[in-house]
Amino acid sequence: MPLSIPFWVPASIPSRRALIAAVTAAAISSATLTGGSIARAADGTTVPSPGAPGLGDPLFPLDGNGGYTVRHYTLDFDWQAPKTPFAAKTTIEAVSTQALSRFGLDFAGNALTSVSVDGAPADAVREGDELVVTPRSAIAKNAAFTVTVTYTADPTQIRHRDDAIEDYGWIPTPDGTVLYPQPNGAKMIFPANDHPSLRAPFTFRISTPNDLTAVANGRLQSREKRPDGRVLWTYRSERPIAPQLVQLGIGKFTTDDHTGPGGLPIRDYVPDDLAAPTKAYRDLTPQHLAWLEQRLGPYPFNRYGILVGDTDLGVALETQTLSLVPKADLLGTQVDAERNLVHELTHQWFGDSVAIRTWSDLWLSEGYARFYERLYSESHGGGSFEAAMKTAYENHNVWRRDYGAPAEPTEPNLFKRMRYDGSALVLYALREKVGEAAFDRISRAWITQYRGRTAGTADYIKLASKVSGQDLAPFLTPWLYGPTTPAMPNHPDWVAAPATG
């Protein structure tokens, strides 16, 4: 499987342009990746040292950890009841990228029981949202090792953001839970190396009362009745997943199986009393898949489905192969429902299959999802795509001032309007610049070249230039980073209101 490259940015880098140059350098030394030099003994051997406490992401510098690569997560959850703590265990199989004296895991707020490395007890201390683990013996470079963390999971853990995310972490339902780990809420659920560029396969083993169903990303491997009357559900992700795209739902669900293009298995999980009211819109998924595959190529995973959230959650989430869609999104008009369904489905290509390198690259994921959402809606009863883009253009300077340029967000404004319609506008401008045929080739090439991999803004500009046959850096750079919105190609009458005040 392709491995994501950890990302480190020295604090001295002054600008986003310098950042892009750093992450796309042809050769990145291991010293750069860990943010410091490699210590060596007098005889030239490597001296074990601590893994970096974060990857240095410009927005969340302490998310992720240096010094190792996760190869597999196994989550064991002994679910009891809504808002009730329960016993949990996370097993992490990893490989060191340096000689490690200690290393960190992103982990917040759960009561620890024990931590071990390769079966031996290890010291572990809390440093904010970091769990710092010191193994009994240092870990050699390029060594495989296993970390086991047992703890009491707390399904009441929720945090809040003042943007489109709102509440994230464990999201309660009347009889269970769903997960909203984006952007960095996985650490409230399980210990992780939590950054969108870092992915690994997952195995989920969830024990529930016999009247509840557990669902998770990927394929249901088994459903085992236990002697005590409980049921053990085992799922395997099949493909690597970023922690922010993990899904785990527990509740009284109806399963609804149907088939997509080419026989793709589709399985929806719906709270029993919502199965009938949401079925008409959920049954449109094969049509949505066919429409997107015509434009983007084959769906990139082995299966898909919708998990309907019986919550007041205000936003859906593109959790990999199993999109979380709040019930309100499926109980309104068909136009609104399809916009949300197509948006999350598009993310399976943009953001899930092709992962973003840093959070500043979110415009690529949300921009494309909004672009195809609006393009689909225009031909299926919704409003004019061009009119929506004209409105976005009129507001673009104000959004730049308030929320940052499309590829230069600040952490509090990450999921604000600029990353949605404001970023779709950049793609619309690119299509106007190169033409529809060339734009379609760029989009398909992006998905093909980086399928199952991690890529960022500099990669996109380079690929778009190659595919179109013209240097697009002078065009895209001011759109993505400039202080004011450039002129829109082919629309000299469009005017962006000045950002005053």
Side-chain angles (χ1 to χ4, degrees), residues 366-419:
E366 295 298 349
Y368 261 110
R370 181 55 55 90
F371 182 95
Y372 284 109
E373 162 205 331
R374 288 200 176 276
L375 189 64
Y376 177 92
S377 185
E378 179 181 56
S379 59
H380 292 80
S384 163
F385 184 26
E386 182 176 305
M389 291 298 93
K390 183 178 182 182
T391 298
Y393 187 82
E394 292 167 353
N395 290 284
H396 219 244
N397 280 331
V398 176
W399 294 345
R400 282 176 191 268
R401 179 198 65 194
D402 294 344
Y403 308 138
E408 206 162 31
T410 59
E411 187 275 329
N413 297 315
L414 179 57
F415 290 91
K416 289 290 180 71
R417 193 72 178 271
M418 180 57 95
R419 251 51 66 191

Side-chain angles (χ1 to χ4, degrees), residues 18-362:
L19 178 76
I20 291 175
V23 299
T24 57
I28 305 178
S29 70
S30 60
T32 302
L33 293 175
T34 57
S37 60
I38 298 174
R40 296 189 182 277
D43 62 0
T45 59
T46 301
V47 176
S49 58
L55 299 186
D57 187 282
L59 273 65
F60 299 96
L62 292 179
D63 284 0
N65 296 274
Y68 64 94
T69 298
V70 176
R71 291 293 177 86
H72 192 272
Y73 292 93
T74 300
L75 307 185
D76 286 280
F77 287 167
D78 192 27
W79 176 267
Q80 298 299 315
K83 301 182 180 180
T84 302
F86 61 89
K89 179 175 72 174
T90 294
T91 304
I92 300 173
E93 299 168 44
V95 174
S96 59
T97 57
Q98 67 178 76
L100 283 170
S101 58
R102 66 175 185 264
F103 58 90
L105 297 169
D106 299 307
F107 194 44
N110 294 282
L112 277 175
T113 303
S114 65
V115 179
S116 66
V117 176
D118 290 333
D123 291 334
V125 296
R126 299 274 193 176
E127 294 182 1
D129 286 342
E130 192 89 351
L131 180 64
V132 181
V133 179
T134 303
R136 179 175 294 178
S137 301
I139 299 170
K141 183 178 180 181
N142 297 326
F145 64 100
T146 300
V147 187
T148 303
V149 182
T150 61
Y151 55 100
T152 299
D154 180 4
T156 66
Q157 279 213 81
I158 298 175
R159 294 185 181 181
H160 183 80
R161 292 180 57 87
D162 291 325
D163 56 17
I165 295 296
E166 298 179 349
D167 293 338
Y168 65 108
W170 294 94
I171 303 298
T173 64
D175 50 23
T177 192
V178 294
L179 299 187
Y180 203 108
Q182 196 178 79
N184 57 354
K187 63 192 173 191
M188 290 184 276
I189 300 156
F190 58 94
N193 207 5
D194 188 7
H195 189 267
S197 68
L198 302 179
R199 300 189 283 189
F202 277 75
T203 297
F204 305 86
R205 297 197 292 236
I206 310 111
S207 172
T208 68
N210 62 9
D211 61 337
L212 298 181
T213 298
V215 305
N217 312 77
R219 180 173 180 266
L220 175 63
Q221 291 286 108
S222 64
R223 177 184 180 275
E224 176 187 350
K225 290 186 177 181
R226 293 290 183 86
D228 61 1
R230 291 173 64 82
V231 178
L232 178 64
W233 308 80
T234 301
Y235 289 82
R236 296 190 188 279
S237 68
E238 300 179 301
R239 303 281 180 84
I241 308 178
Q244 59 128 354
L245 298 174
V246 163
Q247 186 53 260
L248 169 65
I250 296 171
K252 295 180 179 179
F253 295 129
T254 295
T255 59
D256 187 2
D257 290 301
H258 42 136
T259 303
L264 180 77
I266 301 173
R267 172 171 287 184
D268 298 336
Y269 297 92
V270 194
D272 292 343
D273 60 349
L274 293 171
T278 63
K279 183 171 177 56
Y281 297 160
R282 290 186 291 104
D283 282 352
L284 297 171
T285 297
Q287 174 181 312
H288 300 158
L289 280 160
W291 187 88
L292 285 167
E293 286 190 334
Q294 287 178 354
R295 288 152 181 82
L296 303 177
Y299 175 73
F301 299 107
N302 296 338
R303 64 197 70 251
Y304 186 64
I306 295 166
L307 171 61
V308 178
D310 189 3
T311 75
D312 294 327
L313 192 70
V315 62
L317 182 63
E318 64 274 15
T319 40
Q320 191 166 304
T321 72
L322 184 64
S323 292
L324 173 62
V325 181
K327 60 184 178 182
D329 287 4
L330 298 170
L331 296 175
T333 69
Q334 181 168 336
V335 167
D336 289 340
E338 288 198 86
R339 280 189 56 185
N340 291 324
L341 291 168
V342 171
H343 183 104
E344 303 312 327
L345 182 54
T346 303
H347 272 306
Q348 302 300 314
W349 282 267
F350 297 96
D352 290 18
S353 178
V354 182
I356 57 174
R357 191 179 300 282
T358 77
W359 278 113
S360 298
D361 301 315
L362 183 65

